[in-house]
Amino acid sequence: MPSPEPQTHLNKVEGPLVETRGLSHWRDGRCVMQIGDWQLQPRAHALLLGPSGSGKTTFINIVTGLLTPSQGAIFVAGEPMSILPPAGRDGLRRRTTGLVFQTLRLIPALSVTANLALAQQLALGQVDRAAIAAMIDRVGLSHRAAARPRQLSQGEGQRAAIARALITRPHLVVADEPTSALDDANAARMIDLMFEVADATGATLLVATHDGRIAHRFGNRLNLEAPQ
Amino acid sequence: MIGLSLAYLRDRALNTGLNILLLGLSVASLVILLLFSSQLENRFDKDAQGIDMVVGAKGSPLQLILSSVYHVDIPTGNVPLETVELLRRQMGVAQAIPLALGDSFRTFRIVGTEPAYPALLGASLADGRMFGQKMEAVIGVEVAARTGAGLGQRFVGGHGMTGGDDGPKHEEAPFIVVGRLKPTGTVIDRLILTNVESVWAVHGIEAPHDEPAHEGESAEEHADHASPAEVTAVLVQFGSPIAAVRLPGFVNRQTNLQAAVPAVEVSRLLALVGVGLDAVRAFAVLLMITAGLSIFVALLTALRQREGDMAMLRVIGASRAAILGQVASEGLILAAAGTVLGLVLGHGVIALAAANIEQLHQLGLNPLAFHPGEAMIAMAALGIGLIAALIPGLRVLQSDIADTLANAR
């Protein structure tokens, strides 16, 4: 018997979760990112691969609505992220996207549990203690739930950051260089964990990296070249 | 977001504690000054209620008021007993009450007067009766509490008005307590009242006889063998407004008398004391501004270190208003804690001072009394905390999230 379809807190998205049309970005008269037309289907695992300076972070900022592209358009969950006003972009990001950074950016004054609770409160307007406990258990941090970020190891911190990104049950999880600082074994474990949790929650995964070690794990790869 | 603010404050506990302490000290300074000056003025007003003018020996009018109305200074001298009758005969005088000072019992002054004096200050008997016969005494509530004197108990006054136990005693003329007064919150709580004749008797002075001059005896001859009885001062209550204009001039024209008006002398005194209070108040305000600057610097530094956190909060869904609210709540929590600490400290210091410093105790400082001005001090402290937080908060909001995250990655 198939397991029930995992649900995010949004309605089911029809069509591609992320779609770009003629997308590029220019800074100081120089093209810093060029993707053109591209689609990311729901529940896919996609890799944004490219060397430093190829525009990976720029693209992530555009996908998450933190940056308005110079040319072209981008749609997230069917909504035109690039032309929404700032408040609209903030709302769309809050409803659809979870973010994982290389430096984690957990709130240092809060415990792991409190970090997740804060993310849930801000995104959903309520806190589900049971869901938080389940998520912490899923990433293997039950014994560290009360610990502050500075008390966690690098691996524990990354698991906490993934848990925070997914606790709001987003459609899209965007990870920026999540494995760059890890050795091979920990990088593999990190990707395993992201795949597992994303699949369990029905999230789509977009990982930006210059780390070639994890490229073979992704079926959907978007190679970015440093623009000339 | 309040929980997050508390977490951030706990995270830098030492800094938080020092800022709360600094603000608390400034609030406490202002509260102490406010309570002290307001209760001092209130006490001056209550002790002088119903007394429009004091007549005594020539000298410093302020000294006359302090010694005869507030019982905190030595008198300027004595005036003839006839002064009382002279004043009572004047038009516009409702009451003229004599006071005879000079002795004390365990630092409490013995005041020779008439029953009209406690009545003037609103005092009534708690038990016993009012003094009537020679050597009968009625004691104020604090005298009773501090000496343990009860009805029927005898005591001996000592010469002098500050330390009755150290000076020579009037062993030959003991007083007997016939009544105790209810608390009034005025100077009378600390006085031992008796009639003027008792004070004379203690000092071996005969009461004047009321006989008229004998036949063939001139007024001068009659005065020659009249009693040398004197009083220290006469408290005068006016019966008409015109008396306030006429009587001080009339009294001051008498050779040995001077008139002093409590309202005038007290305002002069408060003006003198007020200069000192204003200087301390200015210092306290400066301290409060310093505390505000300290909170500002602390939050500015903390927010600089937390720019990445703030950007992350924006990314995960915090609105600009929520971010600003979080920063503002940090400043407000600091200010509120400092205000509460300051109020507790301020009232605590007043309580300690009143319990341990005799002069302040005699002023009747009440640490449990609240002044409406304390609400203003609290509002000012909260306002300073809010402004100190909003400035760095607005600065954070103006920063670019993507750039901040890029720099923090």
Side-chain angles (χ1 to χ4, degrees), chain B residues 54-59 64 76-79 232-234 251 256-260:
Chain B
V54 179
V55 176
K58 284 204 184 299
L64 177 59
T76 48
N78 288 332
V79 295
T232 311
V234 186
V251 170
N256 298 322
L257 304 181
Q258 73 160 334

Side-chain angles (χ1 to χ4, degrees), chain B residues 372-391:
Chain B
E374 290 178 75
M376 299 296 292
I377 294 172
M379 296 286 281
L382 292 175
I384 283 175
L386 185 63
I387 292 168
L390 283 181
I391 295 170

Side-chain angles (χ1 to χ4, degrees), chain B residues 11 41 59 96 106 111 157 251 271 288 327 354:
Chain B
D11 205 44
E41 282 180 39
R106 293 194 193 167
V111 180
V251 170
M288 187 180 262
V327 177

Side-chain angles (χ1 to χ4, degrees), chain A residues 204-221:
Chain A
T204 303
L205 197 57
L206 174 61
V207 175
T209 188
H210 68 276
D211 187 354
R213 296 173 299 173
I214 59 173
H216 66 281
R217 303 287 301 274
F218 292 82
N220 184 347
R221 274 180 253 166

Side-chain angles (χ1 to χ4, degrees), chain A residues 57 60-61 64 66-67 90 93-94 97 99 101-110 115 118-119 122-123 148 150 164 168 176, chain B residues 1 3-4 7-8 10-11 305-310 312-320 322 400-403 405-406 408-409:
Chain A
T57 298
I60 282 179
N61 285 339
T64 53
L66 300 176
L67 189 63
D90 289 347
R93 177 177 62 249
R94 186 172 63 240
T97 309
L99 275 152
F101 296 108
Q102 180 185 346
T103 47
L104 311 181
R105 304 242 51 95
L106 294 162
I107 305 297
L110 299 178
N115 264 283
L118 180 63
L122 290 173
R148 301 279 180 85
R150 68 174 74 95
R164 182 181 63 180
T168 58
D176 189 12
Chain B
M1 284 302 214
L4 181 60
Y8 275 131
R10 273 197 304 269
D11 205 44
Q305 292 165 352
R306 285 184 354 223
E307 277 182 351
D309 289 3
M310 298 288 122
M312 191 66 211
L313 286 172
R314 295 270 290 118
V315 165
I316 65 177
S319 64
R320 284 171 178 271
D400 183 274
I401 302 176
D403 283 350
L405 285 173
R409 274 171 200 163

Side-chain angles (χ1 to χ4, degrees), chain B residues 218-349:
Chain B
S218 69
E220 288 75 18
E221 286 168 339
H222 179 70
D224 283 345
H225 65 260
S227 164
E230 292 179 316
V231 294
T232 311
V234 186
L235 307 179
V236 179
Q237 186 179 41
F238 298 145
S240 70
I242 195 75
V245 178
R246 196 181 70 80
L247 277 177
F250 166 76
V251 170
N252 287 329
R253 280 195 296 276
Q254 309 300 310
T255 318
N256 298 322
L257 304 181
Q258 73 160 334
V261 178
V264 172
E265 299 306 322
V266 167
S267 55
R268 272 179 54 200
L269 176 65
L270 289 178
L272 284 171
V273 175
V275 174
L277 289 179
D278 284 346
V280 182
R281 193 174 289 122
F283 178 74
V285 168
L286 199 65
L287 197 61
M288 187 180 262
I289 293 169
T290 307
L293 277 174
S294 174
I295 292 176
F296 170 75
V297 170
L299 286 177
L300 189 67
T301 308
L303 288 179
R304 271 192 182 148
Q305 292 165 352
R306 285 184 354 223
E307 277 182 351
D309 289 3
M310 298 288 122
M312 191 66 211
L313 286 172
R314 295 270 290 118
V315 165
I316 65 177
S319 64
R320 284 171 178 271
I323 295 283
L324 199 58
Q326 188 273 313
V327 177
S329 69
E330 267 188 73
L332 278 175
I333 290 168
L334 278 175
T339 302
V340 170
L341 176 69
L343 289 173
V344 171
L345 270 179
H347 284 263
V349 167

Side-chain angles (χ1 to χ4, degrees), chain B residues 73-333:
Chain B
D73 201 353
I74 54 169
T76 48
N78 288 332
V79 295
L81 177 64
E82 291 74 27
T83 307
V84 181
E85 285 308 316
L86 176 71
L87 288 166
R88 281 177 178 160
R89 285 199 303 271
Q90 298 306 308
M91 207 163 42
V93 171
Q95 287 194 85
I97 304 169
L99 297 182
L101 308 174
D103 293 337
S104 62
F105 173 64
R106 293 194 193 167
T107 75
F108 294 108
R109 290 188 175 195
I110 297 169
V111 180
T113 184
E114 294 172 355
Y117 178 51
L120 187 68
L121 291 180
S124 58
L125 286 165
D127 53 14
R129 60 181 173 76
M130 191 52 70
F131 57 86
Q133 301 299 311
K134 209 184 277 184
M135 306 318 290
E136 287 182 348
V138 166
I139 57 177
V141 66
E142 200 175 318
V143 182
R146 299 278 286 273
T147 63
L151 295 183
Q153 217 154 358
R154 290 175 186 275
F155 67 92
V156 172
H159 201 68
M161 294 193 291
T162 50
D165 290 345
D166 299 331
K169 302 282 190 300
H170 299 295
E171 303 282 357
E172 71 292 351
F175 287 93
I176 181 167
V177 177
V178 297
R180 291 189 298 193
L181 296 171
K182 288 179 181 170
T184 61
T186 69
V187 68
I188 214 159
D189 292 346
R190 306 192 315 272
L191 297 181
I192 297 165
L193 306 179
T194 184
N195 57 24
V196 177
E197 288 79 6
S198 303
V199 176
W200 290 334
V202 167
H203 295 93
I205 299 169
E206 276 186 40
H209 51 78
D210 295 329
E211 292 173 19
H214 297 298
E215 202 172 328
E217 186 181 40
S218 69
E220 288 75 18
E221 286 168 339
H222 179 70
D224 283 345
H225 65 260
S227 164
E230 292 179 316
V231 294
T232 311
V234 186
L235 307 179
V236 179
Q237 186 179 41
F238 298 145
S240 70
I242 195 75
V245 178
R246 196 181 70 80
L247 277 177
F250 166 76
V251 170
N252 287 329
R253 280 195 296 276
Q254 309 300 310
T255 318
N256 298 322
L257 304 181
Q258 73 160 334
V261 178
V264 172
E265 299 306 322
V266 167
S267 55
R268 272 179 54 200
L269 176 65
L270 289 178
L272 284 171
V273 175
V275 174
L277 289 179
D278 284 346
V280 182
R281 193 174 289 122
F283 178 74
V285 168
L286 199 65
L287 197 61
M288 187 180 262
I289 293 169
T290 307
L293 277 174
S294 174
I295 292 176
F296 170 75
V297 170
L299 286 177
L300 189 67
T301 308
L303 288 179
R304 271 192 182 148
Q305 292 165 352
R306 285 184 354 223
E307 277 182 351
D309 289 3
M310 298 288 122
M312 191 66 211
L313 286 172
R314 295 270 290 118
V315 165
I316 65 177
S319 64
R320 284 171 178 271
I323 295 283
L324 199 58
Q326 188 273 313
V327 177
S329 69
E330 267 188 73
L332 278 175
I333 290 168

